[in-house]
Amino acid sequence: MFIYLCKKIAIPGNVRLRCISWNKDQGFIACGGEDGLLKVLKLETQTDEAKIKGLAAPSNLSVNQTLEGHSGSVQVVTWNEQYQKLTTSDQNGLIIVWMLYKGAWYEEMINNRNKSVVRSMSWNADGKKICIVYEDGAVIVGSVDGNRIWGKDLKGTHLCHVAWSSDSKVLLFGMSNGEIHIYDNQGNFIVKMKLSCLVNVTGAFSIAGIHWYHGTEGYIEPDCPCLAVCYDNGRCQIMRDENDHNPVLIDTGMNVVCIQWNHCGSVLAVAGSLKTTSQDKDVNIVQFYTPFGEHLRTLKVPGKQISALSWEGSGLKIALAVDSYIYFANIRPDYKWGYCSNTVVYAYTRPDRPEYCVVFWDTKNNEKYVKYVKSLISITTYGDFCVLATKADENQPQYVLVLCNSIGTPLDPKYIDIGPLFVTMTKTHVIAASKEAFYVWQYRVAKKLTAMEFNQVARTRKEGRERIYHVDDTPSGSAGGHLDYSRAIEFQGTRDPICAITASDKMLLVGRESGTLQRYSLPSVGMVQKFTLNCHAYQLSLNCNSSRVAVIDLSGVLTFFDLDTRVVTSTGEQMVGEQLKLERKDVWDMKWAKDNPDLFAMMEKTRMYVFRNLDPEEPIQTSGYICNFEDLEIKSVLLDEILKNPEHPNKDYIINFEIRSLRDSRALIEKVGIEESSQFIEDNPHPRLWRLLAEAALQKLDLQTAEQAFVRCRDYQGIKFVKRLGNLQSESMKQAEVAAYFSRFEEAERMYLDMDRRDLAIGLRIKLGDWFRVLQLLKTGSGDSDDALLEQAHNAIGDYFADRQKWLNAVQYYVQGRNQERLAECYYMLEDYQGLENLANSLPENNKLLPDIAYMFVRVGMCEQAVSAFLKCNRPKDAVDTCVHLNQWDKAVELAKNHNMKEIGSLLARYASHLLEKNKIFDAIELYRKANYFFEAAKLMFKIADEESKKRTKPLRVKKLYVLSALLIEQCHEQIQNAQKGKVKGKSSEAASALAGLLEEDVLSSTNRFADNAWRGAEAYHFFILAQRQLYKGSVQAALKTALHLRDYEDIIPAVEIYSLLALCACANRAFDICSKAFVKLESLETLRPEQRQQYEDLALEIFTRHSPKSNKKSDLDDMLDSIDGKLPVCVATGDPILEQRFWMCSVCKHCMKPKEASSRSFCPLCHSTI
C-alpha cells in the first residue's frame, strides 16, 4: 500500500482537537475538542464525472455544522451507523445523543451522572446496545432508544476503555493500570486477559486503544486475528479472540495515542509520536500493520501532537486530528488484482464466506466468472493467463501456485515449499520468491501436440521444468537445476533478504534489501551481473526490450536503472549499468509500454503522467490502476469504485487514455488534412498512428494513401481490403463497404438496401451472426434461393434460443427450419415425449435420427416408443435389448420370436432366472409355455407340485398341479413328433422319423423321472381323493379297491398316509387280512416316532383281539387282485378293474373308463378334458 497526505482543514479559533470519528456508512466526520467544540463535517460526495477520476475528485466540504451543547472538553465521540446516531461525552461527564433530521444534527437525549467522567463508549455490532464506562468504575449498558438495560459499579477500579465482541456476548474493560478484564454481556466477570506483549516491560504504562474488528466485510484469512490491544509504550498484541494465548506481538517503538482497524480488518493504523535523535521534538507518525504484525508503511504527519485518527468507510482515506487541524491522507491499497486478455481479475472478502471471492471480469463482453479461493496470497497475470498464489493448508507450510486461464479455469497447480511473497510471470515462466530463495517454473498450456513436440515436452519434463535457487547461490546456468528445497532453504534465511522481483523473456531481476540487484539469464537461470541501487526496492518493472528497469522504493520514489549502458568510472574501470537521472516522488504505480522501450505511464498521487524518453507529458487527473499500455493507449481500471460494489462491476470504471502523439495526430487529421498529417506521422512513426491515417484515408476513399499506411503498419487484412475496394466500380458500394469495415453496420445495411442489393445486406448480417435481422430481410422480398436461407436463419435462431436453454422458443424455429435433429433434442429437454413420439412417427424408415430418438425414450423408460423407433430403423436386436433393460421380458421374447432371433434361448433363460430370483415361478412357467419350451415349463411345474405335496396342502390342488405338469409333458412329446415330421420328407423315411422322435424322447425321459410316465403324480392323488370320497359316501368296497391302487405310489404320497387309508378302508370292509397287512406295514415304517408306532400297535392289538385277520369276502377281491397282477386297465371313475372288451379311453391322458361311467360324464375324471 502507499499513503500520502492530501488535504488539511483548520478548526476556527485554533481549538485543540481531542477526538475524531468517521461514520462508515454516511460519511459524516465528528470531531471534538477543547471548550466544548463539537463539529460534524462531510466531504463532498462524488458526481459521476468525479467518480471516473476516483480520488482525484475535489474534496470540498458539503456539511460543516457546529453542535452546541457541551461546555467542557469533548473527549469521546462514537457513531451508531445502523440507527444514524452520534453519541458524545465531555470532561464533565455529560453525554449527548444526537440525531439526524433533514440533513442537520439535533440533540435527542442528554444524560449526566455528575459523579465521574466518561472514559469510553462503544456501540455493539448491530447498533442496538451501548456500553458506557466511567472513570470511577461505573458501567452502564443502555438500548438505542435510551432505556437502561443494566448498570454495575466495579468498585476499586478505574476504567478507561470498553469494547464489544462481534457477537455481543463478551465485553472487554480496559483498566487505568493496564489490565484488561473480560466480562459477559450481563456484567459478570469471567477472567483477566493474558497480556503477552507486556512481558519484560518496566515503568508505568496505560492502554492507548482497544479495537475489535467485527467481521462486517469478511476476513482476509480464516481464523484471522481481529482484536487489537495497544499500550502507550508502543507494545501491541493482535488476538484471534479474547482467549487467544498465542497472539501476534508488535513493538512499534513509538509513543502510541490511538489505534483503529480499517473497514475490512486488513490494516491496523497505529498513531502516535516518535523521538528522533537528530531533532529534540517528537515527530508525529502513523504506522500501518497487517493483522499478522507485518509492517506496511509509515506516514509522517506535521504538527506538535497527534491526538486521534479514524478511517473512512471504504478504507481509501484516513482522518488525523493534529493540534487544531484535521489532516486527510489518501491510501492506495495493494489490491489483489491483475489484467489478462481483456479480463480484470480482482479479489475481495465477504462476511458470509471464509474464502476470498476472486472475480474474472471480462470487460469486453461484460461477463464475470467467480471462484472462491482459500488463503489467497496474490494474483499475478501475463498475456492470457493468471497465477493465483495460495496457502495449501493452514497447519503446514506448503503453498500452491495455480495457473488459470482468463475465465478462472485452473490449468495446472504446482505445490511449493517456499512462501510466495513475490510472484512474477512471463510468456513461459512463473517465478515465485520468498525472502531467501526463488522458484522458477517453466509452465506449459494445453494444446494439441504433434508426435515430435510431444517427445520434446517429455524431454523438457525430464530435464526439469521446476527449479529452485537460494538467493546467495551463483548458478552458472549450465546445470539443469533441481527442485531441491532442502538445498535452497538449508541456509535458513539470509542476511540480505529479497524485497522485489521482476522478469522478462530474457532475464530475471532479483532486488535485495541492501540495494543489490541480481540479474539472471532466462530460461537457463545463470547469474549474469550484480548491480547496486541506491534504495530499498519495493517494486521492479522491466521495459519491453529488457534494457531498463524502473524501481519504486518503499517511500514511493521512482528511479530508473539502465542495464546495458557501459560506463567508465573515475578510476578508469568499465562498468555495466547506470542509474538514470530521472526521479519522481509519491509514485504508487507504473507500467511500461508493451511496444516502445522509451514509453511508460506512472501514477503520482492523483495524477497520471506519460513519459517519452524520460520527458513527461501534461498529467491526467485519475486514480485508476494501470492495466495495459499498448498502441499509444493506456487502459486504466478504477478498482476503488469497483470494490465498493464488487459483485456488479461497471464498464464505466474501465478508462482508456490516449497519449499526446495519438491525440495530436487525430487533431491534425481532422483539422489540417491527410497529406499534412502523413508528414507528421512520418516524423513520429508508430503503427497505431499509421493505422489512424489509414482509417482516415479510407473514410475519404483515398485508397492510395490508405494502402501505403496499411503497408507501414503491416496490416495485411487492411491491404487486401483496399485492393478489394479498388475493384469495385460503384462509389456508393465503396462507401457501404467502408461503413461495414468501421462497424457502422446499420449505415452499411441502409446503403446496400438503397442500392437494391438486399443480398449484400443479408450477407453482412449473416457474417455478423444477426439472424433475427436476416429473417426480417428475407421476409421483405422473395427469391428462389431464399428458402434455403430461410431454413438456415430459422435454425440459427433456434440455436440461439437453445444455447440459452429457452427450449420452447427454439422448438418453434426448428420446426420452421425442419431441423429434426435439434427438434428431437428440444422435445427431450422439454420432456415433451408426445412431441418426440410424433416426430419419430413422421420420420421415414431407416432415418439416421431414429436410433437417437429411441435411446432418448430408453433413458426415460418408455419401452413401447423406443421399440417402435428401433423397429422402424430395422434394429430388432436393440429393441430386444431395450425390453430386457426395461424388464419388459414378455415383449422381448415376443420380438425375438417374431424376428426369429437365434439368442431366444439365452434370452428366455435370463428372463426365467430373473423371474425365479423374484420367486415368480408361475410367471416363469407361463413364459416357457408361451415360448413353446414345454419341457422346461413342465420341470418347473413338477417342482412346484412336489413342494406343495410335501407341504401337505389340499390334495385336490396338488392333483391339479400334477395334471398341469403332465399336460405340459404331453405337449412337449407332441412338439417333438411334429418337428420330426416336418424335418423328414418322403414315405421311406417315416420309420426313421419315428425312430428319431423316440430317441429324442429317450433323452427327455432320462433327464426327468416324470417324463416316462407323466401321469403318475396325477394318478396317485386322483385315487387318493377318490378312495376317501367313496369311503365317506359309504361305498366301502369301492373305497378298498381304490385304496389298494395307492400301494404303487409310495414315492409320491407318504406311505403312512397310504397304509392308514388302506387299513381304514379294509377295516370298514371287514377285510381284516388286508387290514392286518396294512398294520404290519405301518408298524415297520422307519419314519414314525416311537410313540406313534406304539399307538399303531395298541390299535392293531385292539382290532385283532376281536377279529381274526382273515377275510370272508375274498372272492369279491379276486378280480381286483387279478387286475393288479395281470395289469387289467383300471377305471379312473370308480377304481375298478375293467373286465369288458369295450371301454372308453381319454384322448389326452390315455386313461380308461367303463362305458357305463363314460356315458354319464362330460369330462375325463383324471385330466378333466372334454369327453
Side-chain angles (χ1 to χ4, degrees):
M1 64 175 279
F2 180 70
I3 183 164
Y4 59 90
L5 293 169
C6 61
K7 190 176 179 64
K8 174 181 172 185
I9 295 173
I11 300 298
N14 288 336
V15 180
R16 278 178 60 81
L17 293 174
R18 300 288 298 276
C19 50
I20 189 164
S21 182
W22 203 326
N23 184 315
K24 304 284 182 286
D25 288 352
Q26 289 91 26
F28 293 104
I29 303 164
C31 55
E34 293 173 350
D35 305 329
L37 172 88
L38 179 60
K39 272 184 156 320
V40 173
L41 315 169
K42 189 175 183 182
L43 296 176
E44 209 171 50
T45 52
Q46 296 178 350
T47 59
D48 287 343
E49 192 181 333
K51 265 187 185 175
I52 289 171
K53 291 182 178 177
L55 288 174
S59 301
N60 298 325
L61 293 177
S62 62
V63 175
N64 184 358
Q65 184 185 356
T66 303
L67 306 188
E68 305 286 347
H70 290 290
S71 55
S73 174
V74 178
Q75 293 179 329
V76 185
V77 292
T78 179
W79 288 100
N80 181 338
E81 275 111 357
Q82 287 83 348
Y83 292 92
Q84 295 192 14
K85 292 184 189 299
L86 170 63
T87 317
T88 59
S89 173
D90 62 23
Q91 70 189 56
N92 303 322
L94 174 67
I95 300 171
I96 305 180
V97 178
W98 309 83
M99 58 176 274
L100 181 66
Y101 178 70
K102 292 188 176 176
W105 293 88
Y106 298 93
E107 277 182 21
E108 184 185 18
M109 289 178 268
I110 294 182
N111 180 23
N112 195 347
R113 232 176 114 242
N114 291 323
K115 285 186 182 177
S116 180
V117 60
V118 174
R119 278 290 167 213
S120 181
M121 295 185 290
S122 176
W123 288 95
N124 70 346
D126 60 10
K128 290 180 179 172
K129 292 181 191 173
I130 187 170
C131 184
I132 303 163
V133 296
Y134 291 83
E135 193 173 42
D136 65 356
V139 178
I140 296 171
V141 173
S143 67
V144 69
D145 51 13
N147 295 322
R148 181 176 174 142
I149 298 172
W150 59 266
K152 197 157 190 167
D153 201 358
L154 308 179
K155 291 192 168 56
T157 59
H158 290 281
L159 298 171
C160 63
H161 283 281
V162 63
W164 288 92
S165 66
S166 56
D167 58 4
S168 305
K169 289 182 179 175
V170 171
L171 278 164
L172 303 182
F173 294 131
M175 310 293 170
S176 56
N177 63 1
E179 289 182 355
I180 295 174
H181 293 189
I182 303 170
Y183 281 71
D184 69 10
N185 59 1
Q186 297 303 314
N188 303 311
F189 175 74
I190 300 173
V191 71
K192 284 185 186 179
M193 184 183 283
K194 186 186 176 192
L195 299 166
S196 310
C197 62
L198 295 178
V199 176
N200 302 329
V201 171
T202 54
F205 53 81
S206 62
I207 300 170
I210 303 172
H211 192 194
W212 202 333
Y213 167 61
H214 289 159
T216 46
E217 297 281 330
Y219 295 94
I220 59 167
E221 221 177 86
D223 202 25
C224 181
C226 55
L227 167 57
V229 177
C230 197
Y231 288 84
D232 60 353
N233 61 7
R235 295 294 181 95
C236 180
Q237 72 180 44
I238 309 177
M239 308 164 75
R240 287 161 183 81
D241 55 54
E242 72 276 13
N243 299 315
D244 188 356
H245 293 302
N246 188 23
V248 174
L249 303 178
I250 306 170
D251 187 356
T252 60
M254 59 192 266
N255 187 27
V256 180
V257 173
C258 175
I259 65 165
Q260 196 180 24
W261 286 108
N262 70 344
H263 69 301
C264 64
S266 63
V267 180
L268 178 69
V270 182
S273 57
L274 188 67
K275 281 208 171 353
T276 55
T277 48
S278 57
Q279 298 168 318
D280 296 338
K281 61 172 189 165
D282 293 353
V283 177
N284 293 322
I285 61 166
V286 184
Q287 304 268 31
F288 295 89
Y289 294 91
T290 69
F292 303 100
E294 293 161 26
H295 181 253
L296 293 170
R297 277 284 191 275
T298 301
L299 175 70
K300 288 183 181 175
V301 185
K304 288 181 185 169
Q305 191 188 352
I306 189 166
S307 55
L309 71 86
S310 186
W311 288 86
E312 186 214 10
S314 64
L316 299 175
K317 281 188 167 72
I318 195 165
L320 308 164
V322 184
D323 305 332
S324 58
Y325 298 96
I326 300 173
Y327 286 91
F328 291 95
N330 278 349
I331 286 147
R332 308 312 296 129
D334 284 335
Y335 293 118
K336 291 175 168 54
W337 80 286
Y339 179 81
C340 55
S341 68
N342 295 314
T343 300
V344 176
V345 187
Y346 58 91
Y348 67 99
T349 54
R350 285 169 52 159
D352 58 335
R353 294 195 73 127
E355 311 100 327
Y356 266 94
C357 181
V358 181
V359 179
F360 290 78
W361 174 38
D362 183 343
T363 56
K364 205 171 183 181
N365 306 322
N366 204 20
E367 290 177 353
K368 62 186 181 64
Y369 310 90
V370 179
K371 274 174 74 73
Y372 290 97
V373 180
K374 220 173 176 184
S375 306
L376 180 72
I377 298 167
S378 66
I379 295 173
T380 313
T381 52
Y382 186 91
D384 296 338
F385 301 101
C386 159
V387 167
L388 306 178
T390 67
K391 202 171 178 185
D393 189 4
E394 290 159 29
N395 307 320
Q396 293 176 339
Q398 200 179 30
Y399 304 86
V400 197
L401 299 176
V402 185
L403 182 71
C404 300
N405 62 12
S406 60
I407 60 168
T409 308
L411 303 174
D412 196 0
K414 283 281 179 268
Y415 285 80
I416 59 173
D417 289 344
I418 60 166
L421 299 176
F422 316 99
V423 184
T424 186
M425 70 186 290
T426 69
K427 197 161 56 180
T428 52
H429 289 78
V430 172
I431 298 104
S434 64
K435 291 200 167 178
E436 62 278 322
F438 59 92
Y439 158 90
V440 181
W441 165 30
Q442 186 177 345
Y443 68 90
R444 280 180 176 273
V445 289
K447 61 172 187 172
K448 287 181 181 172
L449 299 171
T450 63
M452 198 165 82
E453 283 175 315
F454 192 77
N455 293 336
Q456 216 170 332
V457 172
R459 200 177 308 119
T460 54
R461 193 167 288 184
K462 280 175 198 163
E463 286 165 8
R465 285 166 53 195
E466 298 171 74
R467 287 164 288 177
I468 190 160
Y469 302 92
H470 195 278
V471 72
D472 294 332
D473 283 351
T474 51
S476 64
S478 57
H482 301 290
L483 194 61
D484 183 1
Y485 286 102
S486 57
R487 166 84 190 97
I489 304 167
E490 67 187 7
F491 295 105
Q492 282 303 321
T494 175
R495 288 185 181 178
D496 187 6
I498 296 172
C499 60
I501 63 169
T502 188
S504 67
D505 293 344
K506 299 177 189 172
M507 68 173 77
L508 164 66
L509 294 179
V510 176
R512 303 177 73 170
E513 287 183 5
S514 64
T516 304
L517 185 66
Q518 295 178 187
R519 174 177 171 177
Y520 299 86
S521 60
L522 277 183
S524 57
V525 193
M527 171 76 81
V528 177
Q529 194 93 30
K530 281 190 182 181
F531 307 102
T532 304
L533 304 174
N534 304 328
C535 62
H536 174 149
Y538 174 70
Q539 183 184 321
L540 298 172
S541 182
L542 277 163
N543 65 355
C544 63
N545 66 358
S546 305
S547 60
R548 286 179 179 176
V549 62
V551 183
I552 302 176
D553 72 6
L554 274 172
S555 52
V557 176
L558 171 68
T559 52
F560 293 87
F561 195 85
D562 196 312
L563 299 167
D564 296 336
T565 311
R566 295 182 181 276
V567 288
V568 179
T569 60
S570 53
T571 57
E573 286 181 62
Q574 196 177 45
M575 283 181 65
V576 177
E578 179 191 16
Q579 185 95 28
L580 300 179
K581 293 199 169 47
L582 179 70
E583 185 179 291
R584 302 291 294 202
K585 289 181 180 172
D586 293 328
V587 176
W588 51 271
D589 193 15
M590 76 84 58
K591 186 78 93 183
W592 289 97
K594 283 187 176 178
D595 45 16
N596 187 334
D598 297 326
L599 208 55
F600 68 88
M602 51 156 268
M603 296 300 305
E604 188 178 291
K605 291 192 175 175
T606 54
R607 290 181 297 278
M608 179 195 284
Y609 287 90
V610 176
F611 282 75
R612 184 191 288 275
N613 294 327
L614 307 184
D615 296 325
E617 295 179 4
E618 65 276 5
I620 302 160
Q621 288 279 315
T622 180
S623 298
Y625 286 74
I626 303 168
C627 294
N628 196 28
F629 188 0
E630 196 174 10
D631 270 351
L632 309 183
E633 259 190 351
I634 300 162
K635 184 169 280 199
S636 176
V637 57
L638 296 175
L639 284 172
D640 304 329
E641 300 301 324
I642 285 172
L643 287 160
K644 283 176 185 172
N645 186 7
E647 290 176 27
H648 303 101
N650 187 335
K651 279 184 103 167
D652 293 343
Y653 299 147
I654 297 283
I655 311 168
N656 288 316
F657 299 103
E658 295 184 344
I659 76 164
R660 191 170 62 198
S661 59
L662 184 55
R663 294 198 302 271
D664 291 352
S665 302
R666 184 169 273 127
L668 269 174
I669 289 167
E670 284 170 10
K671 291 173 186 169
V672 181
I674 287 173
E675 283 184 26
E676 293 82 353
S677 309
S678 65
Q679 190 54 51
F680 172 78
I681 293 168
E682 190 81 57
D683 298 338
N684 301 280
H686 190 280
R688 178 65 198 273
L689 300 181
W690 283 115
R691 195 176 332 126
L692 191 70
L693 182 67
E695 287 169 0
L698 269 182
Q699 297 275 29
K700 296 184 177 175
L701 295 181
D702 180 352
L703 300 186
Q704 189 180 353
T705 309
E707 187 175 3
Q708 287 171 355
F710 276 132
V711 168
R712 295 295 290 271
C713 66
R714 298 178 183 179
D715 185 345
Y716 182 66
Q717 279 82 6
I719 298 165
K720 293 281 282 183
F721 178 67
V722 171
K723 293 275 188 203
R724 193 157 62 81
L725 280 184
N727 295 332
L728 296 173
Q729 303 303 317
S730 159
E731 200 73 12
S732 52
M733 185 72 82
K734 286 180 183 175
Q735 285 171 347
E737 289 288 333
V738 169
Y741 181 81
F742 288 113
S743 302
R744 301 198 303 270
F745 303 117
E746 301 296 327
E747 187 185 324
E749 185 190 302
R750 198 170 55 251
M751 288 177 174
Y752 285 139
L753 292 173
D754 290 345
M755 290 184 276
D756 201 22
R757 289 300 300 272
R758 194 169 60 99
D759 58 324
L760 292 177
I762 289 169
L764 173 67
R765 289 296 173 185
I766 288 174
K767 271 183 199 165
L768 293 174
D770 184 358
W771 291 98
F772 290 96
R773 183 67 186 139
V774 170
L775 201 57
Q776 280 179 347
L777 290 168
L778 285 169
K779 285 178 180 174
T780 58
S782 60
D784 296 337
S785 62
D786 285 1
D787 287 348
L789 262 177
L790 261 172
E791 269 190 31
Q792 193 183 350
H794 282 130
N795 285 329
I797 295 171
D799 290 343
Y800 170 85
F801 284 121
D803 289 344
R804 285 155 184 78
Q805 316 280 305
K806 295 181 178 176
W807 306 108
L808 265 174
N809 305 40
V811 163
Q812 296 167 15
Y813 285 98
Y814 284 140
V815 166
Q816 288 172 295
R818 291 186 280 204
N819 190 339
Q820 292 156 335
E821 198 170 325
R822 293 307 298 271
L823 200 53
E825 190 183 327
C826 289
Y827 283 141
Y828 182 64
M829 297 308 287
L830 284 167
E831 298 181 16
D832 180 2
Y833 301 119
Q834 187 56 51
L836 196 58
E837 190 178 349
N838 295 342
L839 176 64
N841 294 339
S842 68
L843 291 172
E845 287 189 5
N846 293 325
N847 187 291
K848 64 175 183 179
L849 189 56
L850 282 168
D852 295 339
I853 293 176
Y855 284 120
M856 286 177 190
F857 283 128
V858 171
R859 282 195 288 275
V860 292
M862 297 175 72
C863 183
E864 196 177 318
Q865 291 83 344
V867 165
S868 165
F870 275 130
L871 293 178
K872 198 168 182 182
C873 61
N874 197 23
R875 288 168 70 164
K877 186 176 184 316
D878 289 335
V880 170
D881 289 345
T882 296
C883 292
V884 170
H885 176 63
L886 298 174
N887 286 332
Q888 301 290 321
W889 293 92
D890 50 347
K891 187 126 183 112
V893 171
E894 189 185 328
L895 282 169
K897 275 170 66 180
N898 293 347
H899 291 84
N900 297 323
M901 293 173 75
K902 289 177 182 174
E903 56 267 21
I904 189 165
S906 63
L907 192 65
L908 279 167
R910 277 166 61 200
Y911 184 19
S913 63
H914 163 78
L915 291 170
L916 292 170
E917 271 172 31
K918 295 189 173 180
N919 211 20
K920 294 183 176 176
I921 300 175
F922 284 107
D923 292 352
I925 291 167
E926 185 65 12
L927 168 76
Y928 277 132
R929 199 180 68 76
K930 279 184 180 173
N932 296 335
Y933 277 62
F934 299 116
F935 188 67
E936 300 295 332
K939 274 205 298 193
L940 286 174
M941 189 60 89
F942 277 127
K943 186 181 171 189
I944 292 174
D946 285 347
E947 283 172 7
E948 291 293 311
S949 168
K950 283 172 190 163
K951 286 182 195 168
R952 311 307 300 133
T953 48
K954 292 180 180 175
L956 185 59
R957 175 181 166 80
V958 180
K959 176 195 165 182
K960 285 178 182 174
L961 291 170
Y962 277 125
V963 167
L964 278 172
S965 312
L967 287 171
L968 286 167
I969 287 286
E970 292 297 335
Q971 282 178 292
C972 177
H973 291 315
E974 193 180 332
Q975 186 187 28
I976 291 167
Q977 285 163 5
N978 290 342
Q980 291 305 325
K981 280 177 190 171
K983 276 184 200 171
V984 183
K985 293 176 184 176
K987 294 173 189 175
S988 60
S989 55
E990 273 182 25
S993 158
L995 185 63
L998 287 169
L999 288 170
E1000 207 160 315
E1001 287 198 32
D1002 276 354
V1003 173
L1004 283 184
S1005 63
S1006 64
T1007 56
N1008 194 291
R1009 69 188 178 93
F1010 284 110
D1012 57 341
N1013 191 351
W1015 293 97
R1016 266 179 62 75
E1019 286 168 9
Y1021 273 91
H1022 174 71
F1023 289 131
F1024 187 61
I1025 295 164
L1026 182 61
Q1028 295 185 63
R1029 276 187 188 150
Q1030 288 168 334
L1031 185 61
Y1032 278 99
K1033 215 170 168 183
S1035 309
V1036 288
Q1037 190 171 359
L1040 179 58
K1041 286 178 185 176
T1042 307
L1044 281 166
H1045 291 301
L1046 292 174
R1047 290 176 301 174
D1048 294 340
Y1049 301 107
E1050 284 182 32
D1051 58 330
I1052 295 165
I1053 300 173
V1056 68
E1057 299 269 347
I1058 293 170
Y1059 290 105
S1060 296
L1061 179 62
L1062 186 55
L1064 186 61
C1065 292
C1067 192
N1069 202 30
R1070 306 190 73 77
F1072 293 112
D1073 56 340
I1074 296 172
C1075 181
S1076 169
K1077 287 175 185 172
F1079 268 108
V1080 169
K1081 188 75 175 173
L1082 279 169
E1083 287 167 21
S1084 66
L1085 288 176
E1086 292 175 5
T1087 54
L1088 290 181
R1089 294 195 302 276
E1091 60 267 26
Q1092 286 177 317
R1093 186 175 285 111
Q1094 189 60 48
Q1095 284 176 330
Y1096 281 119
E1097 285 174 1
D1098 294 347
L1099 185 58
L1101 190 65
E1102 193 179 331
I1103 291 170
F1104 295 118
T1105 49
R1106 292 184 191 177
H1107 306 282
S1108 171
K1110 289 179 182 175
S1111 177
N1112 302 328
K1113 300 182 179 180
K1114 190 172 187 306
S1115 57
D1116 297 337
L1117 288 170
D1118 284 346
D1119 295 342
M1120 179 71 199
L1121 295 168
D1122 288 346
S1123 77
I1124 293 167
D1125 297 337
K1127 295 295 177 203
L1128 291 169
V1130 180
C1131 174
V1132 286
T1134 60
D1136 289 345
I1138 301 172
L1139 303 170
E1140 296 93 334
Q1141 291 293 323
R1142 289 166 65 88
F1143 53 83
W1144 176 87
M1145 181 184 277
C1146 175
S1147 60
V1148 176
C1149 65
K1150 306 293 187 284
H1151 285 74
C1152 306
M1153 197 164 42
K1154 291 179 177 177
K1156 187 173 78 169
E1157 295 292 335
S1159 61
S1160 63
R1161 294 174 188 272
S1162 305
F1163 302 97
C1164 169
L1166 182 65
C1167 69
H1168 292 265
S1169 55
T1170 312
I1171 292 175

